[in-house]
Amino acid sequence: MVEIRVKALTKEATEIARGRGLTAVPEYRTADGTRIDLAILNDGKKLLAIEFENSYKWIRQRLLYNIVKASRAGFSELWVVYPFQAPQLGWINEYAMELGVELRILGPEEFREKIRGIRAQ
C-alpha cells in the first residue's frame, strides 16, 4: 500500500514556510469547527490550505469536502497531497472554481518541490 508520511511532510513544509517569513499552522481550526491539515498564512492573510489524503477510497468525496472547507475558511488555493494517481475530476474541478478555490492535486515529491518555491506575497 502506498502511503505518505504526513507528519514528516507537515514538519518539512512548516519549516520551509517559516523560513520564508510565512506562518504555517498545522491542524488549522476554521470558524465552523472543521480543520485544515496545514494552513499557510502571510501576516494573517490566508494563502494556502493543504490537505493530506492517504486513502484512495472515497477520494472524490474527500476532495469535495476539502474544497468546501477551504472555501468556507477563506482560502483561494488548496493543495491536496495524494500518493495515488489523481482521479478524473470533471465537475468537481468546476465546482472548486465556482467557489473560487484553485485545486491542485500533488504527489508527495511534487508537493516538496512546490512548497520549496513558496514565497510571501
Side-chain angles (χ1 to χ4, degrees):
M1 179 172 167
V2 177
E3 288 187 17
I4 54 177
R5 299 183 61 196
V6 174
K7 286 183 183 182
L9 287 174
T10 300
K11 182 180 179 189
E12 184 178 344
T14 298
E15 290 171 0
I16 290 169
R18 288 181 179 160
R20 306 263 192 301
L22 301 169
T23 303
V25 183
E27 303 291 326
Y28 179 87
R29 294 283 173 191
T30 67
D32 61 0
T34 62
R35 74 169 176 76
I36 293 171
D37 291 337
L38 182 62
I40 307 294
L41 312 171
N42 184 15
D43 290 328
K45 181 180 179 229
K46 298 170 181 175
L47 294 182
L48 175 62
I50 301 168
E51 295 284 357
F52 299 96
E53 295 295 343
N54 250 342
S55 175
Y56 63 89
K57 291 177 79 174
W58 304 102
I59 188 59
R60 287 181 181 85
Q61 289 83 345
R62 296 293 310 162
L63 290 172
L64 284 170
Y65 179 60
N66 291 334
I67 291 164
V68 170
K69 284 193 306 182
S71 173
R72 290 178 55 96
F75 290 90
S76 61
E77 190 167 357
L78 168 65
W79 293 359
V80 177
V81 183
Y82 184 63
F84 305 101
Q85 180 177 352
Q88 295 295 317
L89 297 180
W91 66 270
I92 294 172
N93 213 14
E94 292 172 18
Y95 184 66
M97 289 187 288
E98 285 178 24
L99 292 180
V101 175
E102 181 182 339
L103 172 65
R104 293 185 186 182
I105 301 175
L106 309 169
E109 289 308 313
E110 186 179 8
F111 170 71
R112 281 189 171 98
E113 290 174 26
K114 293 255 185 235
I115 200 70
R116 286 183 193 117
I118 197 166
R119 302 273 182 243
Q121 298 173 350

